[in-house]
Coordinates of all heavy atoms in Angstrom, one line a residue:
M1 N 141.7 147.8 33.6 CA 141.6 146.9 32.5 C 140.5 145.9 32.8 O 140.5 145.2 33.7 CB 142.8 146.2 32.3 CG 143.0 145.3 31.0 SD 144.5 144.6 30.6 CE 144.1 143.5 29.2
T2 N 139.4 145.9 31.9 CA 138.5 144.9 32.1 C 138.5 143.7 31.1 O 138.7 143.9 29.9 CB 137.1 145.5 32.0 OG1 136.9 146.1 30.7 CG2 136.9 146.7 33.0
E3 N 138.3 142.6 31.7 CA 138.1 141.4 30.7 C 137.1 140.5 31.2 O 137.2 139.7 32.2 CB 139.5 140.6 30.7 CG 140.1 140.2 32.0 CD 141.3 139.3 31.8 OE1 141.1 138.3 31.2 OE2 142.3 139.6 32.3
S4 N 135.9 140.6 30.6 CA 134.9 139.6 30.9 C 134.2 138.9 29.8 O 133.7 137.9 30.0 CB 133.8 140.7 31.6 OG 133.4 141.6 30.7
T5 N 134.4 139.5 28.6 CA 133.7 138.8 27.5 C 134.6 137.8 26.7 O 134.0 136.9 26.1 CB 133.0 139.8 26.6 OG1 134.1 140.7 26.1 CG2 131.9 140.6 27.1
N6 N 135.8 138.0 26.7 CA 136.7 137.3 25.9 C 137.2 136.0 26.5 O 138.0 135.3 26.1 CB 138.0 138.1 25.5 CG 137.4 139.1 24.4 OD1 136.6 138.9 23.7 ND2 138.3 140.2 24.5
T7 N 136.8 135.7 27.8 CA 137.4 134.6 28.5 C 136.4 133.4 28.5 O 136.8 132.4 29.0 CB 137.6 135.0 29.9 OG1 136.4 135.6 30.5 CG2 138.8 136.0 30.0
E8 N 135.2 133.6 28.0 CA 134.2 132.5 28.0 C 134.7 131.4 27.0 O 135.3 131.5 26.0 CB 132.9 133.0 27.6 CG 132.7 133.4 26.1 CD 131.2 133.8 25.7 OE1 131.0 135.0 25.9 OE2 130.4 132.9 25.3
T9 N 134.4 130.1 27.4 CA 134.9 129.0 26.7 C 134.0 128.8 25.5 O 132.8 128.8 25.6 CB 134.8 127.7 27.5 OG1 135.7 128.0 28.6 CG2 135.3 126.5 26.7
V10 N 134.5 128.6 24.3 CA 133.8 128.3 23.1 C 133.8 126.9 22.8 O 134.8 126.1 23.0 CB 134.5 129.0 21.8 CG1 133.6 128.8 20.7 CG2 134.7 130.6 22.1
T11 N 132.5 126.3 22.6 CA 132.4 124.9 22.4 C 132.2 124.6 20.8 O 131.3 125.4 20.2 CB 131.1 124.5 23.2 OG1 131.2 124.7 24.5 CG2 131.0 123.0 22.9
C12 N 132.8 123.6 20.5 CA 132.8 123.2 19.1 C 131.3 122.8 18.7 O 130.7 122.1 19.6 CB 133.8 122.0 18.9 SG 133.5 121.2 17.2
I13 N 130.9 123.1 17.5 CA 129.5 122.8 17.2 C 129.3 121.3 17.1 O 128.2 120.8 17.0 CB 129.0 123.5 16.0 CG1 129.9 123.1 14.8 CG2 129.0 125.0 16.2 CD1 129.2 123.7 13.5
A14 N 130.4 120.6 16.7 CA 130.4 119.2 16.6 C 131.0 118.5 17.9 O 131.6 117.6 17.8 CB 131.1 118.7 15.4
D15 N 130.8 119.1 19.1 CA 131.3 118.8 20.2 C 131.3 117.3 20.6 O 130.1 116.7 20.4 CB 130.8 119.6 21.3 CG 131.5 119.5 22.8 OD1 132.6 119.2 22.7 OD2 130.8 119.4 23.8
G16 N 132.3 116.7 20.8 CA 132.3 115.2 21.1 C 133.6 114.7 21.5 O 134.5 115.5 21.6
P17 N 133.7 113.5 21.7 CA 135.0 112.8 22.4 C 136.2 113.0 21.2 O 137.3 112.7 21.7 CB 134.6 111.4 22.5 CG 133.4 111.2 21.7 CD 132.6 112.5 21.5
D18 N 135.9 113.2 19.9 CA 136.9 113.3 19.0 C 137.4 114.6 18.7 O 138.1 114.9 17.8 CB 136.5 112.5 17.7 CG 135.2 113.1 17.1 OD1 134.5 113.8 17.9 OD2 135.0 112.9 16.0
C19 N 136.9 115.6 19.5 CA 137.3 117.0 19.3 C 138.9 117.2 19.6 O 139.2 116.6 20.6 CB 136.5 117.9 20.2 SG 134.9 118.4 19.5
T20 N 139.5 117.8 18.8 CA 141.0 118.0 19.0 C 141.4 119.4 18.6 O 140.9 120.1 17.8 CB 141.8 117.0 18.0 OG1 141.3 115.7 18.1 CG2 143.2 117.0 18.2
G21 N 142.4 119.9 19.6 CA 142.9 121.2 19.3 C 142.0 122.3 19.7 O 141.2 122.2 20.6
D22 N 142.5 123.5 19.4 CA 141.7 124.7 19.8 C 140.4 124.9 19.1 O 140.3 124.6 18.0 CB 142.6 126.0 19.5 CG 143.9 125.9 20.3 OD1 143.9 125.3 21.4 OD2 144.9 126.5 19.8
V23 N 139.5 125.3 19.9 CA 138.2 125.7 19.4 C 138.1 127.2 18.9 O 138.5 128.0 19.8 CB 137.0 125.3 20.2 CG1 135.7 125.8 19.7 CG2 137.0 123.8 20.6
D24 N 137.7 127.5 17.7 CA 137.8 128.8 17.3 C 136.6 129.1 16.2 O 136.1 128.2 15.7 CB 139.1 129.2 16.7 CG 139.4 130.7 16.9 OD1 138.6 131.5 17.3 OD2 140.5 131.0 16.5
Y25 N 136.2 130.4 16.1 CA 135.2 130.6 15.1 C 135.8 130.6 13.7 O 136.8 131.2 13.5 CB 134.6 132.0 15.4 CG 133.6 132.0 16.5 CD1 134.0 132.2 17.8 CD2 132.3 131.7 16.2 CE1 133.0 132.1 18.9 CE2 131.2 131.7 17.2 CZ 131.6 131.9 18.5 OH 130.8 131.8 19.4
R26 N 135.2 129.8 12.9 CA 135.7 129.7 11.5 C 134.7 130.2 10.6 O 133.6 129.9 10.7 CB 135.9 128.3 11.1 CG 136.4 127.3 12.3 CD 137.9 127.6 12.7 NE 138.5 126.7 13.7 CZ 139.6 126.4 14.0 NH1 140.6 127.0 13.4 NH2 140.0 125.5 14.9
D27 N 135.2 131.0 9.5 CA 134.3 131.6 8.6 C 133.5 130.4 7.9 O 134.1 129.4 7.5 CB 135.0 132.5 7.6 CG 135.5 133.7 8.3 OD1 134.9 134.1 9.3 OD2 136.5 134.3 7.9
A28 N 132.2 130.6 7.7 CA 131.5 129.8 7.0 C 132.0 129.5 5.4 O 132.4 130.6 5.0 CB 130.0 130.1 6.9
L29 N 131.9 128.4 4.9 CA 132.3 128.1 3.6 C 131.1 128.2 2.7 O 131.2 128.2 1.5 CB 132.9 126.8 3.5 CG 134.2 126.5 4.3 CD1 134.7 125.1 4.2 CD2 135.3 127.5 3.8
S30 N 129.8 128.0 3.3 CA 128.6 127.8 2.6 C 128.0 129.2 1.9 O 127.0 129.1 1.4 CB 127.6 127.1 3.4 OG 127.4 127.7 4.5
G31 N 128.6 130.3 2.3 CA 128.1 131.5 1.8 C 127.1 132.2 2.9 O 126.3 133.2 2.4
T32 N 126.8 131.6 3.9 CA 125.8 132.2 4.9 C 126.4 133.4 5.6 O 125.7 134.2 6.3 CB 125.3 131.0 5.8 OG1 126.4 130.6 6.5 CG2 124.7 130.0 5.1
G33 N 127.7 133.4 5.6 CA 128.4 134.5 6.5 C 128.4 134.3 7.9 O 128.8 135.1 8.7
V34 N 127.9 133.1 8.3 CA 127.8 132.9 9.7 C 129.0 132.0 10.2 O 129.3 131.1 9.6 CB 126.6 132.0 10.2 CG1 126.5 131.8 11.6 CG2 125.3 132.9 9.8
A35 N 129.9 132.4 11.3 CA 130.9 131.8 11.7 C 130.5 130.9 12.8 O 129.9 131.3 13.7 CB 131.9 132.7 12.1
H36 N 130.9 129.6 12.8 CA 130.7 128.7 13.8 C 131.9 128.3 14.5 O 133.0 128.1 13.8 CB 130.0 127.4 13.3 CG 128.7 127.6 12.5 ND1 127.5 128.0 13.3 CD2 128.3 127.6 11.2 CE1 126.6 128.1 12.4 NE2 126.9 127.9 11.2
P37 N 131.9 128.1 15.8 CA 133.1 127.6 16.5 C 133.4 126.1 16.2 O 132.5 125.3 16.4 CB 132.7 127.8 18.0 CG 131.2 127.8 18.0 CD 130.7 128.3 16.6
R38 N 134.5 125.8 15.8 CA 135.0 124.5 15.6 C 136.3 124.2 16.1 O 137.2 125.1 16.1 CB 134.9 124.1 14.0 CG 133.6 123.8 13.5 CD 133.7 123.4 12.1 NE 132.5 123.1 11.4 CZ 131.6 123.9 10.7 NH1 131.9 125.1 10.8 NH2 130.4 123.4 10.3
C39 N 136.5 122.9 16.5 CA 138.0 122.7 16.9 C 138.7 122.4 15.6 O 138.2 122.4 14.6 CB 137.9 121.4 17.9 SG 137.3 119.9 17.0
D40 N 140.0 122.2 15.9 CA 140.9 122.0 14.7 C 140.5 120.9 13.9 O 140.4 120.8 12.7 CB 142.3 121.8 15.2 CG 142.9 123.0 15.6 OD1 142.5 124.1 15.3 OD2 144.0 123.1 16.5
K41 N 140.1 119.8 14.5 CA 139.8 118.5 13.9 C 138.5 118.6 13.0 O 138.4 118.3 11.9 CB 139.5 117.4 14.8 CG 139.2 116.0 14.1 CD 138.5 115.1 15.0 CE 138.2 113.7 14.4 NZ 137.6 113.8 13.0
H42 N 137.5 119.2 13.7 CA 136.2 119.3 13.0 C 136.2 120.4 12.0 O 135.5 120.3 10.9 CB 135.0 119.6 13.9 CG 134.7 118.3 14.7 ND1 134.8 118.2 16.0 CD2 134.3 117.1 14.2 CE1 134.3 117.0 16.4 NE2 134.2 116.3 15.3
W43 N 137.1 121.4 12.1 CA 137.3 122.3 11.0 C 138.0 121.7 9.8 O 137.6 121.9 8.7 CB 138.2 123.5 11.5 CG 138.5 124.5 10.5 CD1 139.7 125.0 10.0 CD2 137.5 125.3 9.6 NE1 139.7 125.9 9.0 CE2 138.4 126.1 8.8 CE3 136.2 125.3 9.6 CZ2 137.8 127.0 7.9 CZ3 135.7 126.2 8.6 CH2 136.5 127.0 7.7
Q44 N 139.0 120.9 10.1 CA 139.6 120.1 8.9 C 138.7 119.2 8.2 O 138.7 119.1 7.0 CB 140.8 119.3 9.6 CG 141.7 118.8 8.5 CD 142.3 119.9 7.6 OE1 142.9 120.8 8.1 NE2 142.1 119.8 6.3
D45 N 137.8 118.5 9.1 CA 136.7 117.7 8.6 C 135.8 118.5 7.6 O 135.5 118.0 6.6 CB 135.9 117.1 9.6 CG 136.5 115.9 10.4 OD1 137.6 115.5 10.0 OD2 136.0 115.4 11.3
R46 N 135.5 119.7 8.1 CA 134.7 120.6 7.1 C 135.4 120.8 6.0 O 134.7 120.9 4.8 CB 134.3 121.8 8.0 CG 133.3 122.7 7.3 CD 131.9 122.1 7.1 NE 131.1 123.0 6.3 CZ 131.0 123.1 5.1 NH1 131.8 122.3 4.4 NH2 130.1 123.9 4.5
L47 N 136.7 121.2 6.0 CA 137.4 121.6 4.9 C 137.5 120.4 3.9 O 137.4 120.6 2.6 CB 138.8 122.0 5.2 CG 138.9 123.4 5.9 CD1 140.3 123.6 6.3 CD2 138.2 124.5 5.1
D48 N 137.6 119.2 4.4 CA 137.7 118.0 3.6 C 136.4 117.7 3.0 O 136.3 117.4 1.7 CB 138.1 116.7 4.5 CG 139.6 116.8 5.0 OD1 140.3 117.7 4.4 OD2 139.9 116.1 5.9
L49 N 135.3 118.0 3.6 CA 134.1 117.7 3.1 C 133.9 118.8 1.9 O 133.3 118.4 0.8 CB 132.9 118.0 4.1 CG 131.5 117.9 3.6 CD1 131.1 116.5 3.2 CD2 130.5 118.3 4.8
E50 N 134.2 120.0 2.1 CA 134.0 121.0 1.1 C 134.9 120.6 -0.2 O 134.4 120.8 -1.3 CB 134.6 122.4 1.6 CG 134.1 123.5 0.8 CD 132.7 123.8 1.0 OE1 132.1 123.2 1.9 OE2 132.0 124.7 0.2
D51 N 136.1 120.0 0.1 CA 136.9 119.6 -0.9 C 136.3 118.5 -1.7 O 136.3 118.5 -3.0 CB 138.3 119.1 -0.2 CG 139.4 119.5 -1.2 OD1 139.5 120.5 -1.8 OD2 140.3 118.6 -1.3
D52 N 135.7 117.5 -0.9 CA 135.0 116.5 -1.6 C 133.8 116.9 -2.5 O 133.6 116.5 -3.6 CB 134.5 115.5 -0.5 CG 134.0 114.2 -1.1 OD1 134.9 113.6 -1.9 OD2 133.0 113.6 -0.6
L53 N 133.0 117.9 -2.0 CA 131.9 118.4 -2.7 C 132.3 119.0 -3.9 O 131.6 119.0 -4.9 CB 131.0 119.4 -1.8 CG 130.4 118.8 -0.6 CD1 129.8 119.9 0.3 CD2 129.2 117.8 -1.1
R54 N 133.5 119.8 -3.8 CA 133.9 120.5 -5.0 C 134.3 119.5 -6.1 O 134.2 119.8 -7.2 CB 135.1 121.3 -4.5 CG 134.9 122.8 -5.2 CD 135.9 123.8 -4.6 NE 136.9 123.4 -3.8 CZ 137.1 123.8 -2.4 NH1 136.1 124.8 -2.0 NH2 137.9 123.5 -1.7
R55 N 134.9 118.5 -5.6 CA 135.4 117.4 -6.6 C 134.1 116.8 -7.3 O 134.1 116.5 -8.5 CB 136.2 116.4 -5.9 CG 137.6 116.2 -6.5 CD 138.4 115.3 -5.8 NE 139.2 116.0 -4.8 CZ 139.3 115.7 -3.6 NH1 138.7 114.7 -3.1 NH2 140.1 116.4 -2.8
R56 N 133.2 116.6 -6.6 CA 131.9 116.0 -7.1 C 131.0 116.9 -7.8 O 130.4 116.5 -8.8 CB 131.0 115.4 -5.9 CG 131.0 113.9 -5.8 CD 130.2 113.4 -4.7 NE 130.8 113.7 -3.4 CZ 130.3 113.4 -2.2 NH1 129.1 112.6 -2.2 NH2 130.8 113.5 -1.2
Y57 N 130.9 118.2 -7.6 CA 130.3 119.2 -8.3 C 131.1 120.3 -8.8 O 131.2 121.5 -8.2 CB 129.1 119.7 -7.4 CG 128.3 118.6 -6.8 CD1 128.4 118.4 -5.5 CD2 127.4 118.0 -7.5 CE1 127.6 117.4 -4.9 CE2 126.5 117.0 -7.0 CZ 126.7 116.6 -5.6 OH 126.1 115.6 -5.1
P58 N 132.1 120.0 -9.6 CA 133.1 121.0 -10.1 C 132.6 122.3 -10.6 O 133.2 123.2 -10.7 CB 133.9 120.1 -11.0 CG 133.0 119.1 -11.6 CD 132.1 118.8 -10.4
A59 N 131.2 122.2 -11.1 CA 130.6 123.3 -11.7 C 130.4 124.4 -10.8 O 130.3 125.7 -11.2 CB 129.3 122.9 -12.3
H60 N 130.5 124.2 -9.6 CA 130.2 125.2 -8.6 C 131.4 126.1 -8.3 O 131.4 127.2 -7.8 CB 129.9 124.6 -7.1 CG 128.4 124.1 -7.1 ND1 127.7 124.2 -5.9 CD2 127.7 123.5 -8.0 CE1 126.6 123.7 -6.1 NE2 126.5 123.2 -7.4
A61 N 132.6 125.7 -8.6 CA 133.8 126.5 -8.5 C 134.6 126.7 -9.7 O 134.8 125.8 -10.5 CB 134.7 125.8 -7.4
P62 N 135.0 127.9 -10.1 CA 135.9 128.1 -11.0 C 137.3 127.5 -10.9 O 137.6 127.1 -9.6 CB 136.1 129.7 -11.0 CG 135.8 130.1 -9.7 CD 134.8 129.1 -9.0
T63 N 137.9 127.3 -12.0 CA 139.1 126.4 -11.8 C 140.2 127.2 -11.0 O 141.1 126.6 -10.5 CB 139.8 126.3 -13.4 OG1 139.9 127.4 -13.9 CG2 138.8 125.2 -13.9
D64 N 140.2 128.5 -11.0 CA 141.2 129.2 -10.2 C 140.8 129.5 -8.7 O 141.4 130.3 -8.1 CB 141.4 130.5 -11.0 CG 140.3 131.5 -10.9 OD1 139.2 131.0 -10.6 OD2 140.4 132.7 -11.4
F65 N 139.6 128.8 -8.3 CA 139.3 129.1 -7.0 C 140.4 128.5 -6.0 O 140.8 127.4 -6.2 CB 137.9 128.4 -6.6 CG 137.4 128.6 -5.2 CD1 137.0 129.7 -4.8 CD2 137.7 127.6 -4.4 CE1 136.5 129.9 -3.4 CE2 137.3 127.7 -3.0 CZ 136.8 128.8 -2.5
D66 N 140.7 129.3 -5.1 CA 141.8 128.8 -4.1 C 141.1 128.8 -2.7 O 140.9 129.9 -2.1 CB 142.9 129.9 -4.1 CG 144.2 129.3 -3.2 OD1 143.8 128.4 -2.5 OD2 145.1 129.8 -3.5
P67 N 140.8 127.6 -2.1 CA 140.3 127.5 -0.8 C 141.1 128.2 0.4 O 140.7 128.4 1.4 CB 140.1 126.0 -0.7 CG 141.1 125.4 -1.4 CD 141.3 126.3 -2.8
T68 N 142.3 128.4 0.0 CA 143.2 128.9 1.0 C 143.1 130.5 1.3 O 143.4 131.0 2.3 CB 144.8 128.8 0.8 OG1 145.0 129.4 -0.5 CG2 145.0 127.4 0.6
Y69 N 142.2 131.1 0.4 CA 141.8 132.4 0.5 C 140.6 132.6 1.4 O 139.5 132.4 0.9 CB 141.6 133.2 -0.8 CG 142.8 133.4 -1.7 CD1 142.7 133.4 -3.0 CD2 144.0 133.8 -1.0 CE1 143.9 133.6 -3.8 CE2 145.1 134.0 -1.8 CZ 145.1 133.9 -3.2 OH 146.2 134.1 -3.9
A70 N 140.8 132.8 2.7 CA 139.7 132.8 3.5 C 138.7 133.9 3.1 O 139.0 135.0 2.9 CB 140.1 133.0 5.0
G71 N 137.5 133.4 3.2 CA 136.3 134.3 2.9 C 135.9 134.5 1.5 O 134.9 135.0 1.1
E72 N 136.7 133.9 0.6 CA 136.3 133.9 -0.8 C 135.3 132.8 -1.1 O 135.5 131.6 -0.7 CB 137.6 133.7 -1.7 CG 137.2 133.8 -3.2 CD 138.5 133.8 -4.0 OE1 139.6 133.9 -3.6 OE2 138.4 133.6 -5.3
Q73 N 134.3 133.2 -1.8 CA 133.2 132.3 -2.1 C 132.8 132.4 -3.5 O 132.8 133.5 -4.0 CB 131.9 132.7 -1.1 CG 132.2 132.5 0.3 CD 131.4 133.4 1.1 OE1 130.5 134.1 0.7 NE2 131.6 133.2 2.5
W74 N 132.2 131.3 -4.0 CA 131.8 131.4 -5.4 C 130.3 131.3 -5.6 O 129.9 131.5 -6.7 CB 132.6 130.2 -6.2 CG 132.0 128.9 -5.8 CD1 130.8 128.3 -6.1 CD2 132.5 128.0 -4.8 NE1 130.7 127.1 -5.4 CE2 131.8 126.9 -4.6 CE3 133.7 128.2 -4.0 CZ2 132.1 125.8 -3.7 CZ3 134.0 127.1 -3.1 CH2 133.2 126.0 -3.0
D75 N 129.7 131.1 -4.4 CA 128.1 130.8 -4.6 C 127.4 131.9 -3.9 O 126.3 131.6 -3.3 CB 127.8 129.4 -4.2 CG 128.3 129.2 -2.7 OD1 128.9 130.0 -2.1 OD2 127.8 128.1 -2.2
E76 N 127.9 133.1 -3.6 CA 127.3 134.0 -2.7 C 125.9 134.6 -3.4 O 125.2 135.2 -2.6 CB 128.3 135.1 -2.4 CG 128.8 136.0 -3.7 CD 129.8 136.8 -3.3 OE1 130.2 137.0 -2.1 OE2 130.4 137.5 -4.3
D77 N 125.7 134.4 -4.7 CA 124.6 134.9 -5.2 C 123.7 133.9 -6.0 O 123.2 134.1 -7.1 CB 124.8 136.1 -6.2 CG 125.8 135.6 -7.4 OD1 126.3 134.5 -7.4 OD2 125.9 136.4 -8.3
Y78 N 123.6 132.8 -5.3 CA 122.8 131.7 -5.9 C 121.3 132.0 -5.9 O 120.9 132.8 -5.0 CB 123.1 130.3 -5.3 CG 122.8 130.3 -3.8 CD1 121.7 130.1 -3.2 CD2 124.0 130.5 -3.0 CE1 121.5 130.0 -1.9 CE2 123.8 130.6 -1.6 CZ 122.6 130.3 -1.0 OH 122.4 130.2 0.4
Ligands
LIG101 ZN1 135.1 119.3 17.4

């Protein structure tokens, strides 16, 4: 049994003193399809920001858009 690639430490892209929780790759919300490693806190920050943007620019999302569906995007063909 070999294990060499899955043991490397992932660093949050917003690495800092306020990082909290596990760092993991999170699917991009912006439609780029690139997953960035984020800790629990900064991922939540990102989700909050997305939520805020959606409230400010509601035209970007249909009323039935559900952010809990990971990978669902509304702006993939802008
Ligand atoms: Zn972080």
Side-chain angles (χ1 to χ4, degrees):
M1 186 173 176
T2 58
E3 51 170 304
S4 54
T5 54
N6 288 335
T7 54
E8 72 181 85
T9 303
V10 182
T11 304
C12 173
I13 62 168
D15 189 29
D18 55 344
C19 279
T20 306
D22 294 330
V23 177
D24 206 351
Y25 281 89
R26 325 283 184 167
D27 290 333
L29 299 174
S30 57
T32 58
V34 180
H36 296 291
R38 280 187 174 89
C39 66
D40 287 341
K41 183 204 181 309
H42 285 124
W43 175 237
Q44 193 57 53
D45 283 355
R46 183 68 182 86
L47 292 179
D48 288 347
L49 177 65
E50 197 71 13
D51 215 39
D52 194 44
L53 290 176
R54 224 172 0 242
R55 237 175 266 128
R56 250 180 287 179
Y57 308 103
H60 280 217
T63 53
D64 62 349
F65 179 81
D66 187 345
T68 61
Y69 288 150
E72 185 169 350
Q73 297 155 355
W74 65 84
D75 60 350
E76 57 188 1
D77 59 351
Y78 53 87

